[in-house]
Amino acid sequence: MAPVTSLASTVDQRIADALSAALPEAGPADPLLRRSDRADFQANGMLALAKKLKGNPRELAAKVVQALSTGDLVKEVEVSGPGFLNITVTDRAITETLAARAADDRLGVPRAADPGTTVIDYAQPNVAKEMHVGHLRSAVIGAAMVEILEFTGENVIRRHHIGDWGTQFGMLIQYLTEHPHELDHSGAETVSGEEAMSNLGRLYKAARTVFDADEEFKARARDRVVALQAGDTETLAQWQRFVDESKIYFHSVFDKLDMEIRDEDVVGESGYNDMLEETCRILEETGVAVRSDGALCVFFDDVKGPDGNPTPLIVKKSNGGYGYAATDLSAIRDRVGNLKANTLLYVVDARQSLHFKMVFETARRAGWLNEDVKAVQLAFGTVLGKDGKPFKTREGETVRLVDLLDEAVERAAAVVREKAKDLTEDEIVERGTQVGIGAVKYADLSTSAARDYKFDLDQMVSLHGDTSVYIQYAYARTRSIFGKAGDRSPVARPELELAPAERALGLHLDQFGEVLNEAASSYEPHKLTAYLYQLASLFTTFYSECPVVKPAPPQEVAENRLFLCDLTARTLHQGMTLLGIRTPERL
């Protein structure tokens, strides 16, 4: 099916044509069309135009109205205020446009005309370390952006830049070498994430205790770092055991989050080891990086420390070790040179913004980023507790992500159980999981990523307000209507007059493609959550004001209303799927 042109685009084009016809001297002009409370749409472009032509905006607007081709699209146009155009479209145009959307399995949403390749760097846990609440946002926001961009036609490559390298591995590997059974499993065929993490946690604590107390062990651990970086076979084999054990744990957490993380997309810091020396050589030979106190550094005019002296990006330390920058710059080289990316999107904590600004600027100076290849940090804020401070346990510890997700599921199951009329215990548990995990994701996604947000489970699983549960219930309601509709089926009836609640719902349904396009191009998934919440709210109003099944309206009216229910359900389902949130058929 062909993509469907939205009513807003069609009206915009008609007004632009009328502007050209009525005022050819104005040249191409933007009607500045937007949704309006006074009518369906309002065009404000006459004000800027009148300034340019030194004319009266109301008179210019009147000329445009005369030149406007209305046909079966525009029902009414009025000039209001200082020269705004208030435009009301016909009921027929709304229903016919929605019918075209319903006939397409993509709901009429166009694919990008000129798609590129985007590499998204998200969900980056650390090997041998527990995932905590700070790891939540990168995973949830990144996964939603992958789905949204893919839906608009972009070629998306996922990258999980896990922390799997560094000096701490010297201590861990040396301890494992001296206590070879520390990562052995209990004998069960499948190892749980909980067991894997508890093994790693226990080993980490034991290794740290010995490291801090025993100077000879400390020396052996440091030698082990050298062996690791030199690619010693035995050392790498032990290192791999930590990576494998950690992956068991990571996958168990991502499974809980209802998120697919594929092994081939996990390319950690270690994946760029072979490129580090060459990256440094290129930067030094091209003069992008210079030696300073024995370290290889990149300086910037606008980055200075508290003492007023320049703060450099350290690519290689004076002791010959590599900084994070060397790895990040090598990853850029790989993603641009080998993966042929046009866009590099980093879903990374806002507190790392300065680091990435310096890395991107260095890559630009080196020529790896240019007019054809851009890098963007989708920076996100901090997860706060109800008290507005960074989220901690009562003991002041960082909150384990697993505990948080388990509690969300527990709370959600209680809400589902309370509302459930005819669900079995298994269904309550399953729906509780879908509602709980959906609640956590939605709370994260519905806040502009750049802002901090408060993690408040009571609010998240509430049936009222801007929550995923509210949207999930709206979806379940659309499905329950069909269970009661008998032999009536959804049919679009363009000849029918629409009630105000039907018109409002219809006009909003027609905006789905535009909202998706906006969320994709600006990397703002919260624009999609806001759209879906409003869609659920408009459906709730429609449901209370426009009977679909009881009391039974005339056959044609019932069919048209069922058609609106069906398109609402499909749009809610598609939108929530892109956010990584399930929509149970019954709740």
Side-chain angles (χ1 to χ4, degrees):
M1 288 291 295
V4 178
T5 306
S6 70
L7 289 165
S9 297
T10 309
V11 170
D12 189 80
Q13 189 58 54
R14 291 272 179 101
I15 296 170
D17 293 345
L19 275 167
S20 303
L23 309 163
E25 68 277 20
D30 186 348
L32 296 178
L33 191 77
R34 60 182 182 82
R35 287 295 309 275
S36 166
D37 299 337
R38 306 272 169 92
D40 295 334
F41 301 100
Q42 187 176 75
N44 303 338
M46 306 321 128
L47 304 184
L49 214 51
K51 222 177 217 177
K52 183 177 163 187
L53 300 175
K54 300 187 171 44
N56 177 319
R58 276 190 74 91
E59 286 172 16
L60 294 182
K63 280 187 185 175
V64 172
V65 171
Q66 279 181 322
L68 186 65
S69 145
T70 54
D72 54 4
L73 173 71
V74 177
K75 182 180 179 183
E76 191 184 341
V77 189
E78 64 158 2
V79 178
S80 79
F84 300 140
L85 291 183
N86 284 339
I87 303 124
T88 304
V89 294
T90 62
D91 291 350
R92 173 175 287 277
I94 294 173
T95 306
E96 284 179 347
T97 302
L98 295 182
R101 291 200 177 285
D104 177 37
D105 59 359
R106 288 176 54 82
L107 302 171
V109 177
R111 282 192 170 85
D114 187 17
T117 295
T118 297
V119 173
I120 301 193
D121 188 326
Y122 71 106
Q124 312 103 341
N126 293 312
V127 164
K129 287 192 181 165
E130 184 114 46
M131 287 175 72
H132 55 77
V133 67
H135 290 110
L136 180 67
R137 299 206 75 183
S138 176
V140 170
I141 295 167
M145 281 316 311
V146 167
E147 297 299 329
I148 291 168
L149 286 168
E150 281 188 337
F151 192 75
T152 60
E154 183 78 355
N155 172 36
V156 177
I157 299 172
R158 304 157 170 81
R159 277 293 173 265
H160 308 295
H161 190 90
I162 63 171
D164 64 354
W165 205 245
T167 52
Q168 79 275 17
F169 282 100
M171 172 185 90
L172 295 172
I173 293 167
Q174 187 58 35
Y175 188 85
L176 185 60
T177 306
E178 296 175 15
H179 304 81
H181 300 296
E182 281 298 304
L183 288 183
D184 290 357
H185 297 139
S186 58
E189 275 189 29
T190 54
V191 183
S192 71
E194 202 61 47
E195 185 190 338
M197 192 58 239
S198 113
N199 276 349
L200 289 163
R202 193 179 58 248
L203 190 150
Y204 191 93
K205 277 182 191 152
R208 168 58 69 186
T209 305
V210 179
F211 185 85
D212 290 343
D214 182 340
E215 287 302 320
E216 287 179 9
F217 177 80
K218 192 178 281 188
R220 294 197 298 277
R222 287 188 175 139
D223 290 344
R224 190 62 75 173
V225 176
V226 176
L228 177 66
Q229 289 174 341
D232 172 64
T233 315
E234 183 206 342
T235 305
L236 279 174
Q238 296 285 48
W239 168 81
Q240 189 65 49
R241 289 185 69 190
F242 282 101
V243 175
D244 293 344
E245 194 78 4
S246 297
K247 279 186 179 174
I248 295 171
Y249 164 68
F250 295 159
H251 284 303
S252 74
V253 180
F254 289 124
D255 282 350
K256 251 188 215 295
L257 265 171
D258 196 13
M259 200 176 280
E260 187 194 21
I261 301 287
R262 301 182 306 220
D263 252 3
E264 63 266 31
D265 301 329
V266 177
V267 183
E269 293 169 9
S270 63
Y272 306 102
N273 279 344
D274 297 347
M275 301 174 71
L276 301 180
E277 191 49 52
E278 192 184 14
T279 297
C280 292
R281 184 177 56 72
I282 295 168
L283 292 173
E284 192 165 13
E285 284 176 3
T286 53
V288 173
V290 295
R291 292 277 165 188
S292 173
D293 294 334
L296 188 61
C297 303
V298 184
F299 288 91
F300 309 87
D301 294 338
D302 58 345
V303 184
K304 294 187 168 62
D307 56 3
N309 292 327
T311 302
L313 182 71
I314 298 172
V315 186
K316 193 173 188 179
K317 300 170 192 169
S318 54
N319 67 1
Y322 298 101
Y324 284 124
T327 309
D328 287 331
L329 288 162
S330 298
I332 289 176
R333 283 178 55 213
D334 175 60
R335 291 164 186 187
V336 174
N338 297 330
L339 302 179
K340 307 295 181 221
N342 318 96
T343 305
L344 306 178
L345 183 61
Y346 291 80
V347 188
V348 183
D349 193 315
R351 288 170 292 194
Q352 294 188 46
S353 294
L354 179 60
H355 169 77
F356 279 99
K357 180 185 163 192
M358 292 159 85
V359 166
F360 296 163
E361 176 55 29
T362 301
R364 264 191 290 276
R365 292 180 191 177
W368 303 324
L369 297 177
N370 49 45
E371 283 177 10
D372 303 321
V373 186
K374 63 173 180 173
V376 181
Q377 183 192 358
L378 200 178
F380 55 81
T382 308
V383 181
L384 307 174
K386 284 188 194 179
D387 57 2
K389 294 177 183 160
F391 202 7
K392 303 274 187 202
T393 63
R394 286 194 184 130
E395 295 72 44
E397 300 283 316
T398 309
V399 180
R400 294 169 74 223
L401 186 50
V402 180
D403 294 342
L404 206 72
L405 299 178
D406 287 346
E407 192 181 345
V409 168
E410 211 175 289
R411 294 278 187 95
V415 171
V416 173
R417 180 172 276 108
E418 202 176 305
K419 291 279 288 182
K421 291 189 178 74
D422 52 356
L423 297 180
T424 66
E425 185 56 32
D426 284 351
E427 286 173 326
I428 289 171
V429 170
E430 183 199 28
R431 305 295 196 280
T433 303
Q434 294 174 344
V435 170
I437 298 302
V440 170
K441 288 183 178 179
Y442 187 89
D444 199 317
L445 294 166
S446 58
T447 307
S448 163
R451 290 174 47 201
D452 299 343
Y453 83 98
K454 286 185 184 173
F455 197 95
D456 181 349
L457 274 177
D458 293 331
Q459 175 52 38
M460 287 179 190
V461 298
S462 168
L463 296 167
H464 310 289
D466 186 2
T467 64
S468 65
V469 197
Y470 177 76
I471 298 171
Q472 286 168 321
Y473 267 100
Y475 175 79
R477 181 174 276 166
T478 63
R479 305 324 294 150
S480 76
I481 288 170
F482 281 88
K484 300 167 188 164
D487 56 356
R488 283 168 291 193
S489 52
V491 183
R493 298 286 186 188
E495 68 280 5
L496 291 181
E497 201 175 301
L498 297 175
E502 292 174 306
R503 293 189 98 245
L505 180 62
L507 285 164
H508 193 69
L509 282 166
D510 187 45
Q511 287 179 285
F512 183 54
E514 285 167 358
V515 169
L516 267 187
N517 189 34
E518 236 178 273
S521 57
S522 60
Y523 308 123
E524 293 181 300
H526 73 270
K527 289 185 171 169
L528 177 56
T529 62
Y531 170 85
L532 294 171
Y533 172 58
Q534 202 182 344
L535 178 56
S537 304
L538 289 166
F539 176 75
T540 303
T541 306
F542 156 82
Y543 181 77
S544 65
E545 290 181 11
C546 305
V548 182
V549 181
K550 285 180 182 172
Q555 179 81 4
E556 295 82 12
V557 173
E559 288 174 344
N560 199 57
R561 286 178 181 169
L562 281 169
F563 162 72
L564 286 172
C565 289
D566 187 51
L567 189 56
T568 299
R570 286 174 60 194
T571 307
L572 286 173
H573 174 73
Q574 181 62 73
M576 292 291 262
T577 300
L578 296 177
L579 298 174
I581 299 173
R582 303 273 175 180
T583 43
E585 298 283 309
R586 291 190 312 143
L587 267 177

